[in-house]
Amino acid sequence: MAAPGAVRSPAVRSTFLHGAHPAAWRHARWVRPVRVLACLMAVVCVTVLVGAATLRATVLERGYYQGVLDDERAYERLYDEVLVDPRSRPVTRSLLSRLPVPEPVVTANLKTVLPPATVRELTDEQIASLTGYFRGDSDTLGVSVNLRPVMANVGKLAQVYLGDLTSGNRAAPEADVSAALTRIDKALDSVAAGRKPADLPRVELSDRAVEKVSSALLSGVPEDERASLRPQVEGALAVGDTGTALAAAGPHLPGSRADSGEEKSRRDLLRMADGGRWNVVRDLRNADFDMGALESARDVTRFTQGPAQSLAVGAGSLALAFLWVSGPPARHTRRLRTVGGLLVAGGAVPAAAFCAVRWSADGLLWQPPATWPTTLARLVEDVQHNALSTLTAAGLSAAAVPIAAGALLVTATFVRERHRALRKTLRALTRRTRTRLVGISAAAVAASVVLGVVFAPAAAGGPEKPYCNGSAELCDLRYDQAAYLATHNSMSSTADRFISPLQDGDIKTQLDDGARALLVDTHLWERSEQVADRLKLSDFAPGMREKVAKIIDRTGRSRPGPWLCHAVCRAGALPLVDTLREIRTWLDQHPGEVVTLIVQNGISGEQTASAFRKAGLQDLLFTPDRDPEAPWPTLGEMVADNKRLVVFSEGSGGPAPWYRSFYEYGMETRYDFSEPAKMSCAANRGGTGKRLFLLNHFTTDAGGSRLDAGKVNAKDFVMDRARRCGAERGRPVNFVAVDFANVGDAGGAVAALNAARAAARAG
């Protein structure tokens, strides 16, 4: 023993200060239970992080809801199954607000009042509100539906319906004008009452007879409206189009059920929507719908994404740090094995929970009331099943990450301890190098867990899908592979009071109803002496040109500026710049739509470019490659670049680079078929072998024919001719140009063509 006061050596002094065993605290009685708690804490924290990542990639992500709806074809089933179900009759009647439309026509016109694009937009708006509520961006669930687009469409239905009423009746020849007047008068009464006329006369009327019949038709119209309607009525009768004359006069008759129904529908919708918006949540609460589940879900998501996630990261880090430092000294492999085991356990717990949810799915789903239509209840159940399946798949993907990382660590430590060659190699390394390897391994595992937990459920839940012309699948088709419903002489409409119109709805209505290509004519307003010359180039029958010239010559003086006209502007005209601005507004409201204009140019390229510039369309214009044989971009690429308006000229095009001649890039069929039986695939302008293919799918016999439109616009007729002509030309049909697009189902045919092409490309 050293003498008192003796000076101790440094080694002895160190032992005295730090104790004989520096890590002796690891063997204290309190360490073991704390390590157990730390293990439980680590497992709970991994479980919380897996759950938070799953919620973030599903419940809080708009793409999750969109993907579920698309997988179940919810939008298609809404129209094809739910709204045509007889038990859905109260809903469909409410949508049309008791317009005087027979039940079969109600279901046929649902897409007019409530177009698929509008439904998708309204749904996306609700999804955004719901995800914002779950994220905590809003303290209240403000789900409301903007019904203004629906109200705007209701105003178009009466006119479209009247056109449809008068399009399906085979006109019988009538030589006696008096007898014709009697039959027209009866037909007008039927139209005003919302009934289909029994038959319509078709007569070759003299100028005097045209005036006489027009006066008879307009006699019931308020006097202040007759002057504006007379040119359209007389023009229609001059070319024998009795249906258009009836459709023009019918809504303006006092007491007409079509007119009153339109106004009543607007009032009903405005009353229901408090001026334009329908507060869904308020009505659900008033109907005693339990909103507690949504409020509870919001509490869970907010807590999970906020405090719970932060606490899990902090507490989990502290728990793992304590387990590391309290582990056996100089035994890094055992420490890593402990961490690996905890990761496996932390992933296994939520994995088991998600499996249990999937197995007991039927008991967790909300059951629709028994009073609901079967088709609607089945759709809701299918959507719920898909949503739950997608959520559990995302959760299992997230849980697999820590399980895989933990298993990798356990396997690595096992190999480290058991494999002699590896042990010898590691022993040859310096202690400092081994320490670095352990640190790098731990960092890699931690990074893989964090990144994997974040991205794995996102991959399972799916990103927010882009939509191109109403379909996610069409985004992968090139512009020259897709099909587009095209309206021939789009500006010449009943709604805009053109003489002998070739469409019923105006251009916006045509776009709402699915048209994605517009064939329009640009002109400068002609002087009186130019009318006859212009008519020689029109598609009016020779015998009608003189009659039409006399009628339109009385409709007003010429107006300056560029116009959209059919043959002659006095037979109907729309201001070009204003119409282009309306197209701009529509494109802004529909960011996933690609539209094409094919312009029969009666004005110069400079004037055309100036009109597009004044309309503010420059940023949306797509410029085709100078080489007509160059591949076109996909619709998805055009939507992503926001270059969604393609403009062709039927002439030479230019000087603007985006204004190219269509027939350098495309070809067409003839357009002078006098009857459906004569429709062929014979080449016309553009020759053959071009990448774009325009199918002129209408008849021309003294103007357009509603009667023939009812036949040639039938879905099977369109598809058969499009496939036949595509096979003959060796190129798929791109543009299906039709008259009276609201008659028949040419849009359905185009959708079927696109679905087949998308499926073929995916396969």
Side-chain angles (χ1 to χ4, degrees):
M1 179 178 293
V7 178
R8 296 182 177 88
S9 67
V12 174
R13 185 165 58 249
S14 175
T15 301
F16 178 78
L17 291 174
H18 299 286
H21 302 285
W25 66 271
R26 294 189 178 93
H27 302 287
R29 297 178 61 184
W30 59 271
V31 172
R32 184 179 293 275
V34 173
R35 281 178 61 85
V36 173
L37 290 176
C39 290
L40 293 175
M41 179 64 70
V43 171
V44 170
C45 290
V46 173
T47 301
V48 170
L49 290 175
V50 169
T54 303
L55 291 178
R56 186 167 53 250
T58 54
V59 176
L60 302 181
E61 176 58 49
R62 292 175 63 183
Y64 164 69
Y65 300 96
Q66 293 173 335
V68 167
L69 292 173
D70 285 338
D71 289 344
E72 291 301 322
R73 297 178 54 255
Y75 299 106
E76 292 85 350
R77 291 172 64 181
L78 176 67
Y79 290 103
D80 299 341
E81 299 175 15
V82 177
L83 292 178
V84 297
D85 189 326
R87 295 185 63 185
S88 299
R89 183 172 300 175
V91 178
T92 56
R93 295 302 297 177
S94 291
L95 284 174
L96 296 181
S97 298
R98 294 176 296 282
L99 283 174
V101 181
E103 201 66 36
V105 181
V106 171
T107 55
N109 283 280
L110 282 173
K111 290 186 179 181
T112 300
V113 175
L114 199 63
T118 300
V119 173
R120 187 179 293 278
E121 288 174 12
L122 295 177
T123 304
D124 287 346
E125 184 180 345
Q126 310 323 308
I127 290 173
S129 299
L130 187 63
T131 53
Y133 176 72
F134 283 153
R135 291 192 184 109
D137 299 338
S138 173
D139 293 332
T140 58
L141 180 58
V143 178
S144 62
V145 177
N146 181 10
L147 288 177
R148 291 185 182 91
V150 180
M151 288 185 281
N153 293 333
V154 166
K156 304 293 191 295
L157 178 65
Q159 191 71 55
V160 172
Y161 170 58
L162 288 173
D164 188 60
L165 271 181
T166 57
S167 68
N169 298 274
R170 179 61 60 182
E174 188 75 65
D176 185 352
V177 175
S178 298
L181 272 173
T182 301
R183 292 173 60 188
I184 289 176
D185 189 55
K186 291 180 179 179
L188 190 58
D189 289 341
S190 297
V191 171
R195 299 191 305 271
K196 200 178 193 68
D199 60 349
L200 297 176
R202 184 179 184 89
V203 291
E204 290 288 337
L205 298 175
S206 66
D207 292 346
R208 188 172 181 177
V210 165
E211 293 180 8
K212 182 178 180 180
V213 175
S214 297
S215 296
L217 275 175
L218 295 171
S219 61
V221 174
E223 189 171 355
D224 58 345
E225 298 182 26
R226 294 177 191 172
S228 61
L229 291 173
R230 181 173 290 276
Q232 185 181 8
V233 172
E234 290 185 347
L237 291 175
V239 294
D241 189 353
T242 314
T244 293
L246 287 173
H252 300 273
L253 297 174
S256 168
R257 290 182 59 199
D259 183 53
S260 61
E262 177 184 339
E263 293 304 316
K264 182 173 179 13
S265 68
R266 288 178 180 273
R267 292 195 300 270
D268 289 349
L269 283 171
L270 282 169
R271 189 181 306 112
M272 181 179 72
D274 288 340
R277 294 199 72 87
W278 172 29
N279 191 319
V280 180
V281 174
R282 184 187 61 195
D283 284 0
L284 288 175
R285 292 185 188 278
N286 292 339
D288 297 327
F289 184 83
D290 184 13
M291 304 294 291
L294 288 175
E295 294 169 356
S296 299
R298 179 178 185 265
D299 293 338
V300 170
T301 55
R302 287 193 65 186
F303 177 73
T304 303
Q305 296 301 311
Q309 191 168 243
S310 301
L311 286 173
V313 172
S317 300
L318 290 175
L320 291 176
F322 177 78
L323 291 171
W324 185 271
V325 300
S326 64
R331 297 294 298 275
H332 298 307
T333 53
R334 291 185 61 182
R335 297 179 184 180
L336 287 175
R337 186 161 59 244
T338 299
V339 172
L342 293 175
L343 290 175
V344 171
V349 171
F354 284 120
C355 288
V357 168
R358 175 171 288 185
W359 289 333
S360 58
D362 291 337
L364 298 174
L365 299 179
W366 176 72
Q367 298 299 317
T371 55
W372 280 25
T374 304
T375 51
L376 178 59
R378 188 183 302 116
L379 175 59
V380 170
E381 290 174 355
D382 290 346
V383 168
Q384 288 187 92
H385 274 289
N386 194 312
L388 194 61
S389 176
T390 303
L391 185 144
T392 54
L396 291 172
S397 298
V401 174
I403 292 175
L408 181 62
L409 276 181
V410 172
T411 302
T413 56
F414 178 82
V415 173
R416 164 71 177 82
E417 291 179 345
R418 303 301 180 188
H419 201 287
R420 294 184 178 181
L422 181 60
R423 292 179 65 182
K424 289 180 180 179
T425 302
L426 293 176
R427 283 176 179 173
L429 301 175
T430 64
R431 182 181 182 86
R432 185 175 181 181
T433 302
R434 290 199 300 271
T435 302
R436 286 181 177 176
L437 285 175
V438 171
I440 292 172
S441 300
V445 170
S448 66
V449 170
V450 173
L451 295 177
V453 166
V454 170
F455 292 111
E464 184 176 345
K465 295 181 179 179
Y467 288 86
C468 304
N469 289 12
S471 169
E473 289 72 21
L474 291 188
C475 290
D476 294 329
L477 288 183
R478 294 195 315 270
Y479 174 82
D480 59 326
Q481 293 175 324
Y484 312 89
L485 176 63
T487 50
H488 173 230
N489 282 326
S490 311
M491 68 285 157
S492 178
S493 70
T494 302
D496 288 312
R497 300 186 178 181
F498 275 64
I499 293 177
S500 294
L502 294 177
Q503 305 296 332
D504 279 321
D506 58 16
I507 283 179
K508 180 183 179 301
T509 300
Q510 294 168 35
L511 291 170
D512 286 340
D513 291 347
R516 291 300 175 265
L518 306 173
L519 278 59
V520 297
D521 300 357
T522 59
H523 292 289
L524 297 177
W525 199 281
E526 68 283 342
R527 298 186 303 275
S528 296
E529 61 269 19
Q530 294 175 307
V531 171
D533 291 336
R534 183 74 60 77
L535 281 172
K536 292 177 182 177
L537 303 176
S538 73
D539 54 7
F540 288 124
M544 295 294 125
R545 290 172 185 166
E546 184 178 351
K547 298 177 182 179
V548 174
K550 291 179 180 179
I551 294 169
I552 63 179
D553 194 38
R554 301 195 300 266
T555 61
R557 291 176 289 182
S558 62
R559 307 176 197 174
W563 296 79
L564 292 173
C565 313
H566 177 213
V568 286
C569 293
R570 294 169 188 261
L574 297 178
L576 175 59
V577 174
D578 290 347
T579 305
L580 292 177
R581 286 179 180 143
E582 292 178 3
I583 293 173
R584 168 77 206 216
T585 300
W586 190 91
L587 285 168
D588 288 341
Q589 294 171 348
H590 300 78
E593 304 301 310
V594 176
V595 172
T596 302
L597 297 182
I598 301 177
V599 182
Q600 180 177 314
N601 50 319
I603 62 176
S604 69
E606 290 83 357
Q607 290 171 318
T608 301
S610 174
F612 276 82
R613 184 169 58 253
K614 291 177 181 177
L617 282 165
Q618 302 96 310
D619 58 317
L620 292 178
L621 291 166
F622 176 82
T623 300
D625 194 286
R626 289 186 178 277
D627 180 7
E629 294 300 317
W632 286 79
T634 64
L635 294 182
E637 291 169 339
M638 297 173 74
V639 168
D641 294 339
N642 203 29
K643 299 296 183 182
R644 300 181 288 113
L645 181 60
V646 184
V647 183
F648 288 110
S649 167
E650 287 191 2
S652 59
W658 47 264
Y659 193 41
R660 302 287 173 79
S661 171
F662 177 78
Y663 297 108
E664 292 181 7
Y665 295 81
M667 55 188 175
E668 68 170 2
T669 62
R670 288 171 47 197
Y671 54 83
D672 54 353
F673 305 110
S674 59
E675 58 184 83
K678 295 182 179 180
M679 283 184 162
S680 69
C681 303
N684 199 43
R685 292 172 295 184
T688 59
K690 302 294 177 61
R691 296 187 74 96
L692 299 178
F693 189 179
L694 167 62
L695 186 75
N696 289 311
H697 195 73
F698 48 86
T699 62
T700 300
D701 183 12
S705 171
R706 287 178 180 275
L707 298 171
D708 287 343
K711 180 176 182 179
V712 303
N713 291 358
K715 183 176 180 180
D716 290 342
F717 195 105
V718 175
M719 292 182 66
D720 288 346
R721 183 168 181 242
R723 288 170 175 165
R724 184 176 73 253
C725 292
E728 286 188 20
R729 296 286 190 92
R731 288 292 306 170
V733 167
N734 301 111
F735 306 102
V736 180
V738 300
D739 286 342
F740 303 106
N742 58 293
V743 178
D745 191 19
V750 169
L753 291 172
N754 277 325
R757 294 174 190 181
R761 188 188 184 285

